[in-house]
Amino acid sequence: MIRLRGLRATTLAGYLSALGLLRVMSEQLDDRARLQWRGDVPLLTARHSPEDVVEWLVHTYAPTPIVTPWNSGSGFNDAGKSVRAEELLTAFENSTHPRFAALVEAIKVGREIVSEGRRRGWAGETMWSKATKDNVITLCRNRLPDASLPWVDALVALGDAGVSWNPIAGTGGNFGRQELSATFHQRLDLVAGPDADTERSRAWARAVLDGDETVPYLRDTVGQLDPGRAGGIHSSPAEKSDDVGFVNPWHTVLSCEGLVMFAGAAVRRNGAPGTSLPFMTSSSPVGHATAAEGESVKRELWAPLWERPTGIGELEVLLGEGRAQWQGVQARTGVTFALAVSALGVDRNLTGFRRFLFAERHGQNPLAVPVGYLPVAVHGEAHLVVDAQAWMDRVRRASPSNIVATLLRQADQALFAVARGEGNPAVERFVTAFGLLHEAVARSGTTRDTVPPFQPRTRVTWDPGTHTDDELVFAAVLADARDIPGTSTVDPAALRWSLTRTALHTHKGRTRPTWADRPATRVDLDGSNLAHALSEAHRLHLRGRATGDDTDQRLTGSGFRNGPALPRTVMLRFLDRALDDTAIANHLRGLLALGWQIRLPAPPASDRPYPPPVAALLPFFGPADRPLRMRSLWDPDKADFEARLMPRPDWIARLIASGPGAVLPEALLRLGIAGCRPLITAGELAGPGLDGRRLAAALLTRTTDRDRAFALNAVTATTRARRTPAADRQPTDSETLKEDNA
């Protein structure tokens, strides 16, 4: 086994060179050669020693017949503008060495193609006219020898819409002023040509295998595949006056041999012509430190890595398929590719991917910039964002405004972090970013006209884990409060319809969300007015449950029937203003839009009492179908009873307007009527410092029966009754009949 330390996957040149070495060895030297990766280092399993491979490269290796007659700088122009390229073509064409036989034939056919193209009138200002260059490439595809076709397919793909370029090879083999086939011939001449320096070629070949950086490299243009060696400012003490790169010629030769394995194919997707390039996606400016909105990035390549020794045949199938599926569809962006990797939507034998961006930096030169590694691993959080990511794509296609586009990118960054396996912290960031994006779309006149509010197809469950901060707990309790149990995605009682710029609209028996010009509370959800927004939502919530006319309104219920309960300690911290209202608002905005179910950890035990005004009011705000089963401490002989407590519909409005003192006398009266004898007077309850709006906001949350009974015990002569199996069991029909007869 040979450790190819000089061909690490940290650069695209190294990665392609490793593939190229496997390819040419398998075809010419050892058909049982296998390649695998340990981290970024390729391991080559072969029947030959490293020195055998070096000698074979220097003396016997036969290059792929790489020619590009459609490029003016390839040497076929004969106009004197690319003198060295023209000289090299002539030199190889006159070579009698068997290793160059296929290249000689390709050059001969290439010259015939050029002559025929000119006879057909396709010549242009440089070499070919822009209108006929596609015809030249098609002619090359039809006439060049079979051994040259993999190279043509690696550079271009021919489809109904014309020619598509493979970004790995620039624009049909052009990287700015550098022409790839001419560079290949130049470097090939240095290491294997008739006048090649055998000792230098051997040293360069050894450096390819063992990574020896003490070998003097060639000072020349590097190209886009290894930008770290490109030279320029800060690469030399001489600065700009010494701006050429450092090149191992064998790297260039083997990179081109490896590039052949990334051949594209013209396909149709959804009825539209396009180009399928293995493991190539459109760029997503997220997931790396140098990401910048508006940067000119052509595409990005996700180079696969694997740990199992793999032969050339299996590798050709892997790269030919380029499978990376997210929700049954081939990934087309960097974000969806990362999500596909996190959901095992890639080949099961892969262990990770190296990500490269083809970005225009250093002027207009496209560079293959390495931007990170993503291991193949299942990340359970990815299922949470399936529907949200599809909605974000709709926003992306709607030509969003600048502010929406900026927030969309922030949501993409959080989404990428989720796919990368950063866990619940990344999910929290996504919740916040998605909420801001959803709110921005609601305010955007152009985007909201074409994109409806987000509505998940099914409700998914998020388990934030045990290290959940109290702000998230408070927001989650409110966001998941509802009346309809289970996985229903539309609940008229949910707080989304009062706290956000959305509303429910029913048409032909189907209810779906629609945009609203402002929240039903008339208050935008924000950290500066959180208590205001929540208290107004509570007021609307009670008004929606009131029956009867204006003179005699009654409530059919006050609290939500389903959802997680707010721990006592979190409510008390909210009332004490010890929580970050901005963080609560950010979490709540996102969770309301996403509609997730939240699985919160069990709250810690606490003996901290509620303030008396809170204790007197809290028992009234619970589900109507769950009365508190209590025992009187004032009259021990009295049987256990059910305390059915219900506030008046105007209590929250009065709390908002005048504070707790406006409702506490009536609350104590109702406690006494329900059989719970108060131990304190209204005058003693009305203390300073408790804000009515904040209390109204806190009472909107669901609390446990235990905490409501605990509060009731603090202000009345009652305690929670101990339930027994006999008390909880429903009577049988015969027992009911006996009781009626008695």
Side-chain angles (χ1 to χ4, degrees):
M1 183 178 293
I2 306 173
R3 296 178 64 87
L4 304 177
R5 295 183 178 87
L7 303 180
R8 294 176 182 270
T10 49
T11 67
L12 187 53
Y15 180 82
L16 292 176
S17 295
L19 300 190
L21 181 60
L22 172 69
R23 175 177 164 271
V24 295
M25 281 188 61
S26 298
E27 294 175 354
Q28 303 175 29
L29 179 64
D30 184 356
D31 60 0
R32 297 177 61 184
R34 298 290 185 270
L35 186 71
Q36 65 193 103
W37 299 86
R38 287 290 182 269
D40 287 316
V41 178
L43 306 180
L44 181 67
T45 302
R47 291 176 290 184
H48 299 79
S49 68
E51 197 60 31
D52 291 340
V53 175
V54 168
E55 293 302 315
W56 170 78
L57 283 172
V58 173
H59 296 290
T60 309
Y61 152 72
T64 296
I66 290 176
V67 292
T68 53
W70 59 85
N71 285 336
S72 61
S74 62
F76 286 94
N77 196 8
D78 293 332
K81 292 185 177 180
S82 302
V83 176
R84 182 55 180 159
E86 294 168 8
E87 292 175 350
L88 285 171
L89 281 187
T90 301
F92 281 118
E93 193 175 18
N94 295 331
S95 174
T96 59
H97 198 293
R99 71 195 301 186
F100 300 122
L103 181 58
V104 169
E105 176 64 17
I107 295 173
K108 176 183 176 182
V109 176
R111 296 195 187 281
E112 294 173 356
I113 291 171
V114 171
S115 298
E116 181 168 344
R118 287 171 173 166
R119 283 196 304 270
R120 295 186 182 187
W122 293 347
E125 187 174 335
T126 54
M127 183 175 182
W128 308 109
S129 70
K130 293 182 179 180
T132 61
K133 193 167 185 177
D134 289 6
N135 297 334
V136 177
I137 295 174
T138 302
L139 186 61
C140 291
R141 186 69 179 72
N142 293 335
R143 295 285 184 85
L144 284 173
D146 289 347
S148 295
L149 296 186
W151 172 252
V152 177
D153 290 340
L155 269 60
V156 299
L158 299 170
D160 295 343
V163 171
S164 299
W165 310 116
N166 186 342
I168 304 179
T171 306
N174 283 316
F175 299 136
R177 296 181 180 180
Q178 182 188 23
E179 206 285 329
L180 191 55
S181 68
T183 304
F184 174 80
H185 296 149
Q186 179 189 2
R187 308 288 162 75
L188 180 64
D189 181 60
L190 285 171
V191 296
D195 299 324
D197 185 330
T198 303
E199 288 304 315
R200 281 210 307 171
S201 177
R202 187 179 287 114
W204 285 331
R206 289 195 185 101
V208 162
L209 301 187
D210 61 22
D212 183 8
E213 293 290 327
T214 63
V215 176
Y217 281 177
L218 183 71
R219 299 303 305 276
D220 203 350
T221 303
V222 175
Q224 76 165 3
L225 302 180
D226 191 1
R229 296 183 183 273
I233 296 176
H234 300 315
S235 69
S236 164
E239 293 286 347
K240 186 63 179 176
S241 62
D242 183 19
D243 62 353
V244 292
F246 302 80
V247 181
N248 183 333
W250 277 115
H251 261 145
T252 304
V253 171
L254 294 176
S255 293
C256 291
E257 296 286 3
L259 178 58
V260 170
M261 300 191 68
F262 280 87
V267 297
R268 280 188 174 271
R269 283 180 177 166
N270 302 323
T275 302
S276 173
L277 296 169
F279 300 112
M280 189 79 69
T281 70
S282 61
S283 177
S284 297
V286 296
H288 56 97
T290 59
E293 188 68 42
E295 182 182 32
S296 180
V297 179
K298 292 185 176 181
R299 302 285 288 277
E300 57 184 65
L301 172 70
W302 293 77
L305 304 176
W306 56 93
E307 290 186 347
R308 184 172 61 84
T310 300
I312 187 65
E314 187 177 354
L315 187 55
E316 286 175 342
V317 172
L318 169 70
L319 296 178
E321 291 179 348
R323 187 175 75 87
Q325 293 193 333
W326 169 246
Q327 295 303 299
V329 178
Q330 187 71 8
R332 298 185 181 183
T333 67
V335 170
T336 54
F337 196 101
L339 289 169
V341 173
S342 71
L344 295 187
V346 296
D347 191 280
R348 63 183 178 180
N349 294 318
L350 300 180
T351 56
F353 290 86
R354 270 284 170 188
R355 184 184 178 201
F356 298 93
L357 300 184
F358 297 99
E360 288 187 0
R361 298 180 181 177
H362 299 291
Q364 293 184 342
N365 295 324
L367 302 179
V369 182
V371 291
Y373 170 76
L374 187 67
V376 175
V378 177
H379 302 304
E381 298 84 6
H383 80 282
L384 296 169
V385 301
V386 172
D387 292 342
Q389 185 273 327
W391 183 84
M392 289 165 58
D393 277 348
R394 293 189 66 177
V395 175
R396 206 182 321 274
R397 294 192 296 267
S399 301
S401 63
N402 290 338
I403 182 62
V404 172
T406 299
L407 293 171
L408 181 61
R409 179 168 174 257
Q410 292 176 5
D412 277 337
Q413 288 175 327
L415 201 61
F416 193 92
V418 172
R420 198 160 48 189
E422 295 184 16
N424 281 319
V427 177
E428 286 190 39
R429 295 198 300 273
F430 175 73
V431 167
T432 297
F434 188 85
L436 292 170
L437 171 64
H438 199 270
E439 184 69 12
V441 173
R443 295 169 179 263
S444 173
T446 55
T447 309
R448 65 181 267 175
D449 288 342
T450 55
V451 181
F454 173 69
Q455 187 65 21
R457 290 172 294 180
T458 57
R459 294 193 77 206
V460 295
T461 301
W462 177 34
D463 184 351
T466 56
H467 302 290
T468 306
D469 58 60
D470 287 349
E471 287 80 4
L472 178 59
V473 171
F474 193 91
V477 169
L478 289 169
D480 202 14
R482 51 200 293 116
D483 281 348
I484 300 176
T487 59
S488 173
T489 59
V490 176
D491 185 348
L495 292 173
R496 178 183 185 183
W497 319 119
S498 57
L499 286 171
T500 68
R501 292 173 180 250
T502 55
L504 285 179
H505 176 69
T506 301
H507 180 66
K508 294 183 179 180
R510 185 174 181 180
T511 301
R512 60 179 62 188
T514 186
W515 296 115
D517 291 333
R518 58 190 306 184
T521 60
R522 301 292 189 265
V523 181
D524 283 314
L525 189 59
D526 190 76
S528 62
N529 55 17
L530 176 67
H532 188 181
L534 295 181
S535 62
E536 289 297 325
H538 198 174
R539 182 180 62 80
L540 294 176
H541 176 71
L542 287 192
R543 190 174 72 181
R545 299 196 174 199
T547 61
D549 55 31
D550 292 341
T551 60
D552 185 24
Q553 283 193 336
R554 297 176 181 233
L555 288 176
T556 58
S558 58
F560 293 97
R561 297 187 182 94
N562 294 280
L566 185 68
R568 187 191 318 163
T569 55
V570 179
M571 176 183 283
L572 294 174
R573 292 193 68 212
F574 175 76
L575 291 170
D576 291 341
R577 301 178 185 270
L579 299 183
D580 184 343
D581 283 6
T582 298
I584 294 174
N586 288 338
H587 291 319
L588 181 56
R589 192 186 300 109
L591 292 174
L592 288 172
L594 289 164
W596 293 348
Q597 287 181 289
I598 316 295
R599 183 179 294 122
L600 294 176
S606 174
D607 294 327
R608 183 182 172 186
Y610 290 106
V614 180
L617 294 176
L618 182 63
F620 289 90
F621 293 90
D625 56 354
R626 292 178 59 181
L628 297 175
R629 189 173 181 83
M630 305 298 293
R631 174 173 297 170
S632 174
L633 298 178
W634 190 265
D635 185 3
D637 295 332
K638 182 180 178 180
D640 295 348
F641 64 98
E642 290 183 342
R644 296 183 178 274
L645 302 170
M646 193 70 60
R648 281 183 54 84
D650 63 349
W651 276 15
I652 294 300
R654 288 156 60 186
L655 265 178
I656 294 172
S658 305
V663 296
L664 285 173
E666 191 170 349
L668 293 179
L669 179 62
R670 290 192 171 217
L671 288 175
I673 294 173
C676 303
R677 186 182 180 93
L679 298 177
I680 195 169
T681 66
E684 294 172 314
L685 284 175
L690 193 58
D691 178 67
R693 278 199 181 277
R694 205 162 189 84
L695 178 55
L699 294 175
L700 179 61
T701 61
R702 288 191 78 245
T703 53
T704 63
D705 291 349
R706 180 183 298 274
D707 277 347
R708 290 169 59 220
F710 177 83
L712 196 57
N713 174 249
V715 293
T716 66
T718 57
T719 187
R720 193 181 188 197
R722 295 182 180 178
R723 291 185 177 271
T724 63
D728 289 337
R729 181 175 60 84
Q730 295 294 324
T732 64
D733 292 341
S734 59
E735 289 172 338
T736 302
L737 180 61
K738 290 179 180 179
E739 184 177 347
D740 291 342
N741 290 337

